[in-house]
Amino acid sequence: MGDRVEIPDEELTIPRAAINKMIKEILPNIRVANESRELILACCTEFIHLLASESNDVCAQQQKKTISPEHILAALDKLGFGDYRADAEAVLQDCKEVAAKKKKHSTRLENLGIPEEELLRQQQELFAKARAEQAQAEQAQWLQMQAEAQVQLQANILPPRNVEDEY
């Protein structure tokens, strides 16, 4: 992991709009000073850094390369935020359910309600129609070339007509 690029801390923050939205949802009838909003933003950012760092340590202790949800839950316990574990597990379960629904409904093919065999038959039919149209176009082009060649050949066979000879 020695090839990591260091990003300045001021770039590693939660968007202010997201913080403002959360504050408005949680405290709809209370005004919050801008300095307080900045403090909340800084605390949230620091908490995320702390939790990510501790999760990484738990992951490394288990000799894993990817931080899993279990590593984050263990980090919450280690950092003294065990009271939030049940809420975090509930959020994790919600995320898994949403992901399962997305996966289940991810293909537009399934949403059509047409059996795969029927779709394959329709596709083959379209291919056959396209091949027939292409063959017909090629046949017309060939006939056009033949007609042009015939005209060219006849123009070369007939002697040039002299208009003066006809009078």
Side-chain angles (χ1 to χ4, degrees), residues 94-155:
D94 289 345
C95 289
K96 285 181 179 180
E97 289 171 6
V98 168
K101 282 182 183 177
K102 279 185 179 179
K103 187 175 182 181
K104 183 178 179 184
H105 297 293
S106 66
T107 62
R108 293 189 304 175
L109 183 67
E110 292 171 353
N111 293 338
L112 289 175
I114 301 172
E116 191 173 341
E117 295 80 19
E118 174 62 17
L119 290 172
L120 184 59
R121 187 195 62 74
Q122 289 177 6
Q123 182 185 39
Q124 294 300 327
E125 195 175 287
L126 288 171
F127 285 155
K129 183 179 176 184
R131 280 192 293 273
E133 288 174 3
Q134 182 65 32
Q136 189 177 18
E138 289 174 0
Q139 178 71 18
Q141 185 180 13
W142 185 82
L143 290 173
Q144 176 72 27
M145 288 173 50
Q146 288 295 321
E148 289 173 2
Q150 192 70 24
V151 169
Q152 184 80 21
L153 184 62
Q154 291 210 349

Side-chain angles (χ1 to χ4, degrees), residues 20 29 57:
N20 290 337
N29 300 323
D57 291 347

Side-chain angles (χ1 to χ4, degrees), residues 7-73:
I7 300 172
D9 282 343
E10 59 270 5
E11 290 184 28
L12 296 174
T13 183
I14 300 170
R16 281 174 177 68
I19 292 294
N20 290 337
K21 184 179 177 187
M22 283 190 266
I23 291 171
K24 197 175 255 185
E25 287 176 5
I26 295 169
L27 307 169
N29 300 323
I30 298 177
R31 291 186 59 196
V32 179
N34 285 338
E35 290 175 351
S36 298
R37 290 175 189 270
E38 290 298 319
L39 181 59
I40 291 170
L41 178 65
C43 290
C44 289
T45 302
E46 185 59 32
F47 176 75
I48 291 170
H49 284 229
L50 181 65
L51 185 59
S53 178
E54 189 62 36
S55 298
N56 188 46
D57 291 347
V58 170
C59 180
Q61 287 171 357
Q62 294 179 4
Q63 298 179 343
K64 302 286 183 180
K65 293 186 178 185
T66 304
I67 297 174
S68 70
E70 290 73 28
H71 298 136
I72 295 169
L73 295 172

